[in-house]
Amino acid sequence: VYHHGAGLKIAIAGAGPAGSYLAARLAGRHQVDLYEGQKKERFTSICAWGTARGGASELLRKVGLNFDDYIFHKGREMYVSAFNNIYRVSAPELVTFDKPRMLLDISKGTNIHYDTFVRPGDIEGRYDLVVDATGPYRRVLGPAAGDRDMVLPTFQWLVKYDDLPFDDFYIEPFNSFSGYLWYFPLGDHNAFVGAGDIWKQHRRRVEAFLEKYPPKERVRTMGKPIRVAAPRSVFPHTKGNVAGVGEAVGTVYPILGEGILPSMLAADMLAESLEDLNSYERSILSKFSAYDLSYDYIRRKLSHTDNLLNSLIPAIRIFLWFKRNFMVTGVNPGLWETFKVLRPRKKG
Ligand SMILES: Cc1cc2nc3c(=O)[nH]c(=O)nc-3n(C[C@H](O)[C@H](O)[C@H](O)COP(=O)(O)OP(=O)(O)OC[C@H]3O[C@@H](n4cnc5c(N)ncnc54)[C@H](O)[C@@H]3O)c2cc1C
């Protein structure tokens, strides 16, 4: 089916970070149709809109955009509340940004069809390659096999304050790493206050925060599932002429729920190996192996099977990974803070 020379005929379902970035990277070289379920006028992205400036700038340059044009708030620190203390973690790369506007701009030069919801079986026969970039839903590939996939419910408020309760990023990890609450400043006295939690305490925790720090205005709520399972726990990645990319194949950092840059990175990797899906899958598994490690770590916490022996080495590896990848995560933790936050906890 492959038409070398003229390029491939490719359909991409979903214009989030993965799908829009992939379409922009392939535009001009292949014949690409990008399908997005939302209407253009109401297009948004249910997400806390936080990312790392260095990593985002580098990826956006490749599609001719300047990331700084989208920044709302530049971070210095992230306050982490744990064990009745607030730890300050250096986060000079962490920013919030106008994610919907950035996604609209990335898709501008592509052949995008808004208001078009792709269903399995709809389009596979009409294209050389169909890409499932539908995030947590895997609409084309279908549910992940086995029982290791994990998708958490989330809930957040967009709020407006007279006096902001924190001048920078703030998070509250829950017991046993079942999820966390976030407060992300958006500039202009706006902020997202949200949470995700496997034990479904997220709404209660958000409400408790908003009662403790009442905003001037509650603007609107939003929520959507987030996949925290890593690539090795979300198979298949490919099926026939369909390939998954982004959150659909688990490129979300499990500890922070950070999926924007890794999903764009995964799209870049697919753009490089379009004609060899096996090699694409191998490169995803190797590039994101630290995510599998972190996901295993969280699963041990959740099942209370963590102890110093099985947690210390992974905690050190996770710490070193953060240090090395700080342009992608935006967070540059100190050793002591990491130990405090990641140490094994009492049960319950
Ligand atoms: C509440 C919340 C807060 C988050 N905060 C952050 C954060 O601060 N920083 C961060 O890095 N990550 C965050 N994440 C994770 C991040 O949003 C995602 O991991 C990332 O956007 C994944 O990109 P994606 O392109 O793979 O999928 P998505 O962003 O999920 O995009 C999928 C797109 O596909 C469309 N779609 C779905 N089904 C179909 C269909 N059948 N046909 C056509 N279109 C379809 C959707 O409308 C959507 O536009 C958060 C997630 C949630 C839920």
Side-chain angles (χ1 to χ4, degrees), residues 49 266 319:
W49 303 355
F319 166 76

Side-chain angles (χ1 to χ4, degrees), residues 14 16-18 36-38 47-48 50 99 118 133 139 154 224 247 257 259-260:
E36 167 56 48
Q38 302 180 69
C47 170
K99 184 180 175 189
V118 175
R139 289 280 187 224
T154 70
K224 166 185 179 189
E247 192 174 320
I260 303 171

